[in-house]
Amino acid sequence: MMTMEITTYKGWSNVPEDFKTKTQLKEIKLKPVAEELPDAYVKAQTKYGWKEFNLYHIKNTQEIKSRVINVREFPITLKNIENALYIINKSAKKSRDTKVLNYSIRKHGIVSVAKKRQMKLYDLKNDVIDKLISENKLSIKGWHKQNLNGYDTPLLLMQIVDITFHMPISFEELKNSLEKPQYLGEIGVISAQPTRKIDMKFSEAVSLLEKYLIQ
């Protein structure tokens, strides 16, 4: 049985207009019908040397259908804020774990994305906690010491309703604190694994907290 040889183009300038990579197709909201069966290849120079990319003919693609995500509206109650904080806090820790894992295997692109996502979620968490403190809706239970990579970091333990959260501060801030929170001992890395089931999606949690901040 004869097999048809697939054309390999050398350099992007030689690729016909009706051939696209998977990434290029995604930009115009298309995807290959059969991703495992490219219609051609292109060899192109990258900063890591020559690399071969799969190409797909436009006629062998299909439209990417947009997913309809149903985001429920939750009232901004203290209990819902607590649940939303719990969800984004655990999600931030998952990004932390992704960052650490991929750093060890030198996948620095993934590390960068995970770090940005982690910091964005922690910024949202900290902004919400700051507002809760200003409204006297959150209590400080004490502080833990956490040692990571040879450095000690104090973490304030805060409680809202019946869930506690940690928030890093400096030893200088701890020393100058008017409340002088109680030392609660040393803790290790806090797990990203949820310990309770909450009927709220991640997108719903983010939406609720963002609305709380501007109300």
Side-chain angles (χ1 to χ4, degrees), residues 143-156:
W143 68 280
H144 285 107
K145 182 173 68 174
Q146 186 181 61
N147 185 284
L148 295 178
N149 302 317
Y151 295 95
D152 287 337
T153 300
L155 301 174
L156 279 181

Side-chain angles (χ1 to χ4, degrees), residues 50 61 94 104 110 135 145 159 169 180-181 211-212:
W50 287 92
T61 64
K94 287 181 181 177
S104 65
I110 297 176
E135 296 174 346
K145 182 173 68 174
Q159 183 168 344
I169 60 169
K180 304 298 179 188
K211 288 177 182 176
Y212 167 65

Side-chain angles (χ1 to χ4, degrees), residues 192-210:
Q193 191 66 32
T195 56
R196 60 174 65 197
K197 187 174 182 180
I198 296 173
D199 182 26
M200 183 184 291
K201 298 176 184 175
F202 172 79
S203 57
E204 294 166 342
V206 171
S207 176
L208 184 144
L209 295 178
E210 288 177 342

Side-chain angles (χ1 to χ4, degrees), residues 27-58:
E27 291 173 354
I28 54 176
K29 296 186 178 180
L30 294 174
K31 64 179 180 180
V33 173
E35 187 178 336
E36 71 280 6
L37 298 174
D39 299 302
Y41 305 100
V42 56
K43 282 188 176 180
Q45 182 75 47
T46 72
K47 64 180 180 179
Y48 303 110
W50 287 92
K51 186 176 179 182
E52 187 173 87
F53 299 87
N54 292 348
L55 295 172
Y56 304 91
H57 196 281
I58 289 290

